[in-house]
Amino acid sequence: MKKTRIGLIRVLTTNDPEVLGLHGNIIMDLFPELEVITHCIPGQPQGVFDQTTEKQAWPKVVALAQEMATDGLKAIVVSCAADPGVRQAREVLDIPVIGAGSAAAHVALSLDTSIAALGITDNIPEAMADVLGPALIASAKPVGVETTVDLMAPNGKKATLEQAEKLKEKGAKVLVLACTGMSTIGVAQDIREELNIRVVDPVVASGFLAWYVAREL
Amino acid sequence: MKKTRIGLIRVLTTNDPEVLGLHGNIIMDLFPELEVITHCIPGQPQGVFDQTTEKQAWPKVVALAQEMATDGLKAIVVSCAADPGVRQAREVLDIPVIGAGSAAAHVALSLDTSIAALGITDNIPEAMADVLGPALIASAKPVGVETTVDLMAPNGKKATLEQAEKLKEKGAKVLVLACTGMSTIGVAQDIREELNIRVVDPVVASGFLAWYVAREL
């Protein structure tokens, strides 16, 4: 099978190839037609988790996207729910730039208009809130989690599930995850199994859209 | 291969099984994992092409969706860019109800935020305009086309291509088709080949989202 090459930008700086490749592997497992080339931005070992780290990240994302785009990629995914640099990268690149946050919000809204969001910040990223608008009926963050690194701690998944249950009780029909660190710990599947609610994972959603581009639908 | 059954509602009333099955066949050709069960609403041989015909259609769509949902379907697609009855059907059904108009608008916005729309009405359907918001930089309709039936006339495709070219000249990066009659005549592929612009087809977009639901992503 001839695979279509897409790029993926991590905003969590890491030297560990296994950690680096996690999101790309999620996408390649679900969409074997894709070959995902992953790079991370420098200098952000805690990732993007507030406006300051988002501002630090976005110019680095644009620079990296420009560099990666010279490598014959069909699309680039920015694997962060805050979509850092997505708007700006679109201005300078000809290939589609897919933001994990906006992709997840759009997929959720295609299925229903009663959405709850589960992230790691007090307010969900602007890139997602702007898309969801009045369809966002509630949002929450796991207790004790401030960064994507905290999600990987032993109690990260449990704390996430507790908040997911509260959001379901508020009547949302679709739960969208507002941090790609939740994709890293694979919590979407746990939420589905425990709570029987539809969950949109931002890394999966962005891979889904990259697959749309690759298939030239 | 075990196929997932989804429903598709046509808002163009027809007794011709070939015409009836056109949108379902487009989806099954692209997503062989899906089996599409199609029904049409009664009494609208010219389809939905303005506010009056939309108002006539939506309660019939909801009633048909309720009836079809008893048949063990995983999702229902309303194959009309105006999303008639989608919001209301979501209120009464537990399975996802996907509107071709909003699905196409969301897919387009996942890829870029500079969108043009090509429909059959002076203003594009509200269900799409609401989603696209300020990202919609221009819209147009083919000269001489008032209903989906006109699109199937000999000059329907040519008239559509002429307007697509004008929309590309206005600088849009993605062109979204705002009438599923354009899916029927397969004009998306002609536009891509002639103008080298990304085109989102509403029937394909709704099938793409139904496939997302079927795969339990």
Side-chain angles (χ1 to χ4, degrees):
Chain A
M1 178 172 56
K2 172 119 175 52
K3 295 186 186 251
T4 301
R5 297 169 75 238
I6 66 155
L8 185 143
I9 294 177
R10 296 292 305 269
V11 299
L12 177 76
T13 307
T14 175
N15 288 319
D16 183 335
E18 204 173 316
V19 173
L20 182 71
L22 271 168
H23 294 180
N25 287 339
I26 291 169
I27 293 174
M28 288 188 282
D29 282 349
L30 291 171
F31 307 99
E33 298 89 345
L34 300 180
E35 180 189 350
V36 182
I37 319 293
T38 302
H39 291 282
C40 66
I41 61 169
Q44 304 211 199
Q46 302 231 286
V48 167
F49 54 92
D50 59 15
Q51 287 200 332
T52 307
T53 49
E54 196 181 322
K55 269 188 195 155
Q56 284 165 353
W58 82 252
K60 294 187 265 187
V61 169
V62 177
L64 183 53
Q66 281 186 296
E67 195 188 318
M68 289 171 73
T70 62
D71 193 25
L73 305 172
K74 193 90 178 174
I76 288 181
V77 166
V78 178
S79 196
C80 172
D83 279 19
V86 168
R87 184 174 51 78
Q88 298 91 339
R90 284 174 176 166
E91 286 171 19
V92 292
L93 294 186
D94 288 328
I95 56 172
V97 179
I98 298 162
S102 54
H106 284 299
V107 168
L109 284 176
S110 300
L111 304 179
D112 209 280
T113 37
S114 169
I115 316 283
L118 188 52
I120 58 167
T121 44
D122 285 329
N123 297 306
I124 69 159
E126 250 179 65
M128 296 187 71
D130 286 351
V131 171
L132 292 168
L136 181 70
I137 63 165
S139 64
K141 70 188 271 294
V143 175
V145 169
E146 303 297 334
T147 74
T148 188
V149 177
D150 297 335
L151 281 171
M152 293 186 261
N155 66 336
K157 195 177 263 192
K158 185 168 165 284
T160 306
L161 275 162
E162 281 169 6
Q163 293 304 318
E165 190 168 4
K166 288 188 184 170
L167 289 174
K168 188 191 173 181
E169 284 164 8
K170 290 186 179 168
K173 302 230 333 237
V174 179
L175 183 62
V176 62
L177 302 183
C179 172
T180 57
M182 291 180 180
S183 310
T184 306
I185 62 169
V187 76
Q189 197 52 35
D190 297 272
I191 298 172
R192 283 183 202 114
E193 281 165 16
E194 288 217 8
L195 302 176
N196 190 29
I197 185 173
R198 194 166 301 282
V199 185
V200 177
D201 177 295
V203 169
V204 174
S206 57
F208 175 61
L209 267 305
W211 182 81
Y212 175 91
V213 172
R215 280 205 54 189
E216 300 183 343
L217 294 172
Chain B
M1 178 173 57
K2 173 123 172 50
K3 295 185 187 252
T4 302
R5 297 169 77 239
I6 66 155
L8 185 143
I9 294 177
R10 296 291 307 269
V11 298
L12 177 77
T13 308
T14 175
N15 289 318
D16 182 336
E18 202 173 317
V19 173
L20 182 71
L22 271 167
H23 294 181
N25 288 339
I26 291 170
I27 292 174
M28 288 190 280
D29 282 348
L30 291 171
F31 307 100
E33 299 89 345
L34 301 179
E35 180 188 351
V36 181
I37 319 294
T38 302
H39 291 282
C40 66
I41 61 170
Q44 304 212 199
Q46 301 229 286
V48 167
F49 54 92
D50 59 15
Q51 287 200 331
T52 306
T53 48
E54 195 182 323
K55 268 188 196 156
Q56 285 166 350
W58 83 252
K60 294 186 263 186
V61 169
V62 177
L64 183 54
Q66 280 187 298
E67 196 189 318
M68 289 172 71
T70 62
D71 193 24
L73 305 172
K74 193 90 179 176
I76 288 181
V77 166
V78 178
S79 197
C80 172
D83 279 19
V86 167
R87 183 173 51 78
Q88 298 91 340
R90 283 174 177 164
E91 286 170 20
V92 291
L93 295 186
D94 287 328
I95 55 171
V97 179
I98 297 162
S102 54
H106 284 299
V107 168
L109 283 175
S110 300
L111 304 179
D112 209 280
T113 36
S114 169
I115 316 284
L118 187 53
I120 59 167
T121 44
D122 285 330
N123 298 306
I124 69 161
E126 251 180 62
M128 296 187 70
D130 286 353
V131 171
L132 292 168
L136 181 69
I137 63 164
S139 64
K141 70 188 272 293
V143 175
V145 170
E146 304 297 334
T147 74
T148 187
V149 177
D150 296 334
L151 281 171
M152 293 187 261
N155 67 334
K157 195 178 263 191
K158 185 169 165 284
T160 306
L161 275 162
E162 281 169 6
Q163 293 303 318
E165 190 168 3
K166 289 187 182 170
L167 289 173
K168 188 189 173 184
E169 282 164 9
K170 289 186 179 169
K173 295 208 18 209
V174 179
L175 182 62
V176 62
L177 303 183
C179 171
T180 57
M182 291 179 180
S183 310
T184 307
I185 62 168
V187 76
Q189 196 54 35
D190 297 273
I191 298 173
R192 283 183 201 114
E193 281 165 17
E194 287 217 9
L195 302 176
N196 191 29
I197 185 172
R198 194 166 301 283
V199 184
V200 177
D201 177 294
V203 170
V204 174
S206 57
F208 175 62
L209 268 305
W211 182 82
Y212 174 92
V213 172
R215 280 205 55 189
E216 300 183 343
L217 293 173

